[in-house]
């Protein structure tokens, strides 16, 4: 195993921390602001579905582009600049004409959502595929998100939604300063084979059984959890919470996520199939808690389990990609996995969840989520049983 020097670890850890803090400041509270500006839950859900759809196509554009150009850095920087500019325009037009913001939001999804996969792939290359080092660095990113989410809840309460562009632009400038300072390793230093020009397509990825099984599991998990994550404001307000409670929810949940990502190196001792089963069960518990919630703290308890699930899922999927997918397809595979969890499943879920909330109430969305989560729970349970029978 190649040694990862302290400077490289700290540089990427700080950049990841600031990057996810930017996401908390910008994307984390923009939907809340749009609701404050008069947007209905049904319109918001359609906008978020378009956002997820655009992120889905973005993943298939930016990921393969990184693999084709054999660079993460030179794609990340211009993509990030464009995402920051779009995020500012969404905030600017929200109070003036939120329909313009609604039209811009899918563009933000196309640009911003694939950035996480790009950065993760860049980090894994810089860390020579060391899952333990990646987990520790990525957990610091989650902590950055958690602290910023908590701070944003308080800052918005004190200063209003002007906090969103001020914090977002400041954090983005710091991320870009670090990104420009990093010298990227050549792909040849970690890629074993690059001579198969016909490889690297989605069809090739679909032939890799362990990877595709993981993709199916995270798809159904995303289908269940996406309406909860993206419309969390509605669920919290439904049981008497406010913006400050939304910040607390994000802070506590992402701290749990950070813990599990941090110990992902130790969790590798647990077989991947067991981890996928535990991940699925955790989201099922989330759905039950939200369905039966009578106060904001039950929503937060559900958030703890969903973030525990994500903290298990992310390193597990990264591990599966790094061990099962050829080097020339890794960024594409990471992007596909992420977009099936947060993109494609979100398109489907958010097209109906807003209408369900407006017509029947928020609890019916989580009740449907319970039914959906039975699918990955059963799939992973059968996988466990089958793997034991064949050992």
């Amino acid at each position: 195993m190649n040694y990862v020097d302290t400077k490289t670890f700290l540089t990427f850890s700080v950049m990841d921390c600031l990057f996810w803090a930017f996401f908390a400041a910008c994307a984390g509270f923009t939907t809340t602001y749009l609701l404050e500006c008069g947007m209905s839950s049904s319109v918001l859900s359609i906008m978020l579905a378009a956002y997820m759809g655009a992120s889905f196509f973005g993943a298939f554009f930016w990921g393969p582009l990184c693999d084709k150009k054999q660079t993460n850095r030179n794609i990340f920087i211009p993509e990030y600049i464009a995402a920051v500019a779009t995020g500012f325009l969404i905030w600017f037009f929200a109070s003036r004409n939120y329909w313009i913001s609604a039209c811009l939001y899918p563009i933000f999804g196309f640009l911003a959502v694939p950035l996480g996969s790009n950065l993760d792939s860049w980090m894994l290359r810089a860390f020579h595929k060391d899952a333990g080092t990646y987990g520790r660095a990525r957990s610091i990113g989650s902590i950055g998100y958690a602290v910023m989410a908590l701070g944003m809840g308080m800052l918005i309460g004190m200063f209003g939604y002007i906090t969103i562009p001020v914090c977002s632009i400041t954090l983005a400038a710091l991320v870009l300063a670090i990104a420009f300072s990093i010298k990227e390793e050549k792909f040849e230093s970690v890629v074993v084979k690059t001579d198969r020009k016909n490889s690297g397509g989605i069809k090739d990825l679909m032939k890799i059984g362990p990877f595709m099984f993981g993709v199916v599991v995270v798809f159904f998990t995303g289908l269940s959890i996406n309406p909860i994550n993206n419309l969390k404001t509605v669920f919290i307000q439904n049981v008497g919470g406010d913006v400050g409670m939304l910040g607390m929810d994000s802070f506590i949940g992402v701290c749990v996520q950070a813990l599990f990502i941090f110990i992902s190196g130790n969790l590798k001792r647990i077989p991947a199939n067991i981890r996928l089963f535990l991940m699925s069960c955790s989201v099922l518990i989330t759905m039950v808690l939200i369905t039966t919630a009578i106060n904001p703290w039950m929503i937060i308890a559900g958030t703890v389990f969903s973030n525990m699930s994500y903290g298990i899922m992310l390193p597990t999927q990264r591990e599966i990609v790094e061990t099962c997918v050829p080097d020339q397809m890794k960024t594409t595979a990471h992007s596909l996995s992420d977009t099936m969890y947060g993109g494609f499943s979100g398109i489907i879920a958010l097209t109906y969840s807003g209408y369900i909330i407006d017509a029947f109430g928020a609890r019916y969305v989580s009740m449907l989520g319970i039914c959906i989560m039975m699918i990955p729970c059963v799939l992973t349970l059968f996988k466990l049983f089958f793997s034991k029978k064949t050992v």
Side-chain angles (χ1 to χ4, degrees):
M1 182 178 292
N2 292 315
Y3 174 73
V4 180
D5 63 90
T6 303
K7 181 181 177 182
T8 299
F9 173 77
L10 290 176
T11 300
F12 276 98
S13 296
V14 172
M15 183 168 69
D16 202 56
C17 178
L18 294 169
F19 171 79
W20 288 109
F22 160 80
F23 247 86
C26 185
F29 288 87
T30 297
T31 53
T32 306
Y33 184 42
L34 289 169
L35 288 172
E36 286 285 328
C37 292
M39 184 177 286
S40 67
S41 296
S42 56
V43 172
L44 180 65
S45 68
I46 293 172
M47 182 195 76
L48 288 172
Y51 164 86
M52 294 296 184
S55 72
F56 178 76
F57 288 108
F60 288 109
F61 177 79
W62 298 109
L65 184 62
C66 289
D67 288 334
K68 180 180 179 180
K69 300 295 184 182
Q70 298 196 353
T71 176
N72 293 109
R73 177 184 180 273
N74 294 339
I75 302 299
F76 178 88
I77 291 173
E79 183 185 353
Y80 189 50
I81 292 171
V84 173
T86 306
F88 173 78
L89 291 174
I90 291 169
W91 171 85
F92 180 80
F93 285 110
S95 62
R96 294 162 176 82
N97 186 335
Y98 65 70
W99 289 106
I100 297 177
S101 296
C103 292
L104 288 170
Y105 212 74
I107 299 174
F108 182 73
F110 179 82
L111 294 165
V113 175
L115 284 167
S117 302
N118 189 345
L119 182 55
D120 280 358
S121 182
W122 187 4
M123 289 168 64
L124 281 162
R125 286 178 50 230
F127 297 156
H128 311 297
K129 306 179 186 180
D130 187 336
T133 303
Y134 163 77
R136 290 190 293 273
R138 181 60 180 78
S139 69
I140 295 173
S142 295
I143 291 172
Y145 186 101
V147 172
M148 197 64 210
L150 180 64
M152 285 295 292
M154 294 185 291
L155 289 171
I156 289 173
M158 290 187 290
F159 304 108
Y161 286 95
I162 186 66
T163 308
I164 293 176
V166 172
C167 293
S168 298
I169 293 172
T170 301
L171 291 164
L174 294 172
V175 170
L176 288 170
I178 296 173
F180 275 112
S181 71
I182 297 175
K183 292 183 178 180
E184 185 179 24
E185 292 184 14
K186 293 182 179 180
F187 261 56
E188 286 78 9
S189 64
V190 291
V191 173
V192 177
K193 295 181 181 180
T194 57
D195 55 338
R196 293 176 57 199
K197 294 183 179 180
N198 293 326
S199 66
I202 301 301
K203 290 183 179 179
D204 295 309
L205 287 174
M206 292 179 69
K207 298 174 183 177
I208 303 173
F211 171 72
M212 287 307 300
F213 179 78
V215 166
V216 170
V217 170
V218 300
F219 166 74
F220 282 108
T221 303
L223 193 63
S224 175
I225 200 64
N226 261 306
I228 310 299
N229 288 343
N230 289 286
L231 299 171
K232 184 63 69 68
T233 303
V234 177
F235 288 92
I236 288 181
Q237 290 177 345
N238 191 51
V239 290
D242 55 16
V243 176
M245 190 61 71
L246 179 63
M248 181 65 70
D249 174 89
S250 296
F251 175 76
I252 294 175
V254 180
C255 281
V256 173
Q257 177 192 127
L259 173 63
F260 277 86
I261 294 176
F262 184 81
I263 64 173
S264 60
N266 295 325
L267 292 178
K268 283 185 66 177
R269 299 170 186 172
I270 303 173
N273 289 334
I274 296 178
R275 279 178 273 157
L276 290 174
F277 176 68
L278 293 174
M279 176 201 84
S280 302
C281 291
S282 296
V283 176
L284 180 61
I285 293 171
T286 296
M287 295 298 111
V288 173
L289 284 168
I290 291 175
T291 300
T292 58
I294 57 175
N295 58 59
W297 292 106
M298 290 187 70
I299 302 291
I300 291 174
T303 300
V304 168
F305 280 97
S306 66
N307 277 273
M308 180 175 75
S309 170
Y310 188 80
I312 296 171
M313 181 272 290
L314 181 67
T316 301
Q317 279 298 98
R318 296 291 185 254
E319 175 191 333
I320 291 171
V321 169
E322 292 298 318
T323 55
C324 299
V325 177
D327 291 308
Q328 65 268 27
M329 295 191 289
K330 279 184 167 50
T331 303
T332 302
H334 288 310
S335 298
L336 175 61
S337 178
D338 289 350
T339 198
M340 291 301 286
Y341 177 82
F344 185 57
S345 60
I347 301 170
I348 300 171
L350 289 168
T351 52
Y352 62 76
S353 57
Y355 289 107
I356 292 177
I357 291 172
D358 286 342
F360 305 106
R363 293 183 193 276
Y364 284 85
V365 174
S366 54
M367 289 171 65
L368 180 59
I370 292 174
C371 299
I372 294 171
M373 278 312 301
M374 295 303 297
I375 298 173
C377 285
V378 171
L379 285 175
T380 52
L381 185 61
F382 269 98
K383 182 76 171 179
L384 274 176
F385 179 77
F386 181 78
S387 63
K388 287 182 179 179
K389 292 285 286 185
T390 54
V391 171

